[in-house]
C-alpha cells in the first residue's frame, strides 16, 4: 500500500535527538530535579544528566512503575525540567501538561515529544499501522496548536526527532489562532504556522 501525497505533511526533521534539547534546558537553568513521563527503553532517560532523575512508565524503564495519572495524584515533589512522552493521545497529554505545570519550579521547563508527525498514519488516534509509517506520534500535534495559542506560556518546537516542544511559564506575545480543529487535513495545511526553530538556534 503506497502512501498518497495528501497523506504526507511535508515535514523534514533536522539532525538532533530529544535528549539534547532536554539537556540544554537542564544546563541552562542548572536544574537539579528532572521528571520524565514515558520512558519505555530508557533511550532518552539514560542519556540525561541531572542530580535527581525520576522516570514514570507503567510497563518498563525509568524508576517508577505506574501511570502518569497515578504518579501525579500522589506526588508532592517539585521538578525543574519535565519531559512528557507518555501516551500519545491529546487528552492525556493535556492532563499530563496540566499536572506537570502544578509541580514545576519557577523558571522551569516542560518539554513534549511527538508534535510534528510526517504523515496521516503517524498522526492517527487510535493507532493506524502503515508500512511507510513505522513511528507513531498520535494526535499530540493538537497539543502543539493549543500551546502555541496559549498567552501564558512561551512555546516553540524544535524541528528534530518528531518535534520537541519547549514551554516555560512566561507571557507569549506571538500566539496563533486555533479553534480546536482535529483533522489530519488541518494539520497538514497549517503546521507551518507553529513556532518552529532549529536545534542550532536553540
Amino acid at each position: 500500500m503506497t502512501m498518497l501525497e495528501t497523506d504526507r505533511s511535508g515535514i523534514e526533521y533536522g539532525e538532533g535527538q530529544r535528549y539534547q534539547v532536554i539537556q540544554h534546558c537542564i544546563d541552562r537553568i542548572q536544574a537539579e530535579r528532572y521528571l520524565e513521563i514515558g520512558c519505555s527503553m530508557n533511550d532518552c532517560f539514560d542519556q540525561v544528566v541531572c542530580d535527581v532523575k525520576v522516570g514514570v512508565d507503567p510497563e518498563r524503564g525509568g524508576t517508577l512503575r505506574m501511570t502518569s495519572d497515578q504518579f501525579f495524584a500522589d506526588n508532592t515533589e517539585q521538578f525543574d525540567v519535565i519531559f512528557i512522552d507518555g501516551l500519545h493521545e491529546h487528552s492525556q497529554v493535556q492532563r499530563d501538561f496540566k499536572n506537570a505545570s502544578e509541580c514545576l519550579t519557577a523558571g522551569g521547563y516542560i518539554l513534549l515529544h511527538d508534535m510534528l508527525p510526517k504523515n496521516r498514519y503517524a498522526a492517527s488516534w487510535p493507532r493506524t499501522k502503515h508500512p511507510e509509517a513505522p513511528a507513531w506520534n498520535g494526535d499530540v500535534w493538537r497539543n502543539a496548536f493549543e500551546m502555541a495559542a496559549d498567552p501564558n506560556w512561551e512555546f516553540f518546537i524544535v524541528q528534530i526527532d518528531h518535534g520537541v516542544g519547549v514551554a516555560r511559564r512566561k507571557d507569549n506575545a506571538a500566539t496563533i489562532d486555533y479553534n480546536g480543529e482535529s483533522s489530519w487535513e488541518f494539520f497538514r495545511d497549517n503546521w507551518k504556522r507553529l513556532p518552529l526553530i532549529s536545534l542550532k538556534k536553540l
Side-chain angles (χ1 to χ4, degrees), residues 3 9 22 28 34 58 65 93 96 101 115 137 152 158 175:
M3 196 178 299
S9 64
I22 298 167
R28 187 175 190 275
Y34 169 70
R65 195 66 60 242
V93 174
D96 285 342
S101 70
M115 310 213 92
N137 311 117
N152 301 308
V158 186
T175 57

Side-chain angles (χ1 to χ4, degrees), residues 1-4 8 119 121-122 127-135:
M1 180 169 56
T2 302
M3 196 178 299
L4 301 174
R8 304 177 193 274
N119 57 64
Y121 303 98
R127 186 174 188 176
T128 303
K129 293 187 178 181
H130 189 281
E132 294 184 48

Side-chain angles (χ1 to χ4, degrees), residues 40 73 78 107 112 126 135 154 171 174 195:
S40 188
Q78 295 280 299
L112 307 97
E154 182 182 62
D171 289 347

Side-chain angles (χ1 to χ4, degrees), residues 23-167:
Q23 194 65 54
H24 172 78
C25 292
I26 289 173
D27 296 343
R28 187 175 190 275
I29 62 172
Q30 297 182 317
E32 297 179 352
R33 299 184 60 83
Y34 169 70
L35 170 64
E36 184 169 313
I37 301 298
C39 303
S40 188
M41 301 297 291
N42 280 346
D43 293 338
C44 183
F45 190 74
D46 286 348
Q47 296 289 337
V48 172
V49 178
C50 194
D51 292 343
V52 176
K53 299 197 303 181
V54 177
V56 178
D57 195 289
E59 296 182 0
R60 57 191 177 186
T63 59
L64 299 174
R65 195 66 60 242
M66 60 180 65
T67 67
S68 58
D69 289 337
Q70 291 170 328
F71 170 79
F72 285 122
D74 296 328
N75 175 60
T76 59
E77 302 296 324
Q78 295 280 299
F79 297 91
D80 305 305
V81 174
I82 302 173
F83 178 52
I84 298 173
D85 191 18
L87 182 63
H88 298 171
E89 190 268 330
H90 168 251
S91 62
Q92 181 65 56
V93 174
Q94 267 188 331
R95 193 157 61 248
D96 285 342
F97 186 88
K98 178 181 182 296
N99 289 330
S101 70
E102 293 172 356
C103 63
L104 184 70
T105 56
Y109 287 97
I110 299 177
L111 299 95
L112 307 97
H113 195 218
D114 295 290
M115 310 213 92
L116 298 175
K118 280 191 170 184
N119 57 64
R120 177 192 298 272
Y121 303 98
S124 65
W125 179 265
R127 186 174 188 176
T128 303
K129 293 187 178 181
H130 189 281
E132 294 184 48
W136 178 60
N137 311 117
D139 59 354
V140 181
W141 66 264
R142 295 174 60 191
N143 303 91
F145 279 89
E146 289 173 348
M147 291 303 306
D150 192 327
N152 301 308
W153 289 86
E154 182 182 62
F155 176 74
F156 53 86
I157 302 172
V158 186
Q159 196 171 332
I160 63 167
D161 195 3
H162 302 277
V164 182
V166 180

Side-chain angles (χ1 to χ4, degrees), residues 1-16:
M1 180 169 56
T2 302
M3 196 178 299
L4 301 174
E5 283 305 310
T6 53
D7 292 329
R8 304 177 193 274
S9 64
I11 291 172
E12 295 296 335
Y13 307 134
E15 292 186 10

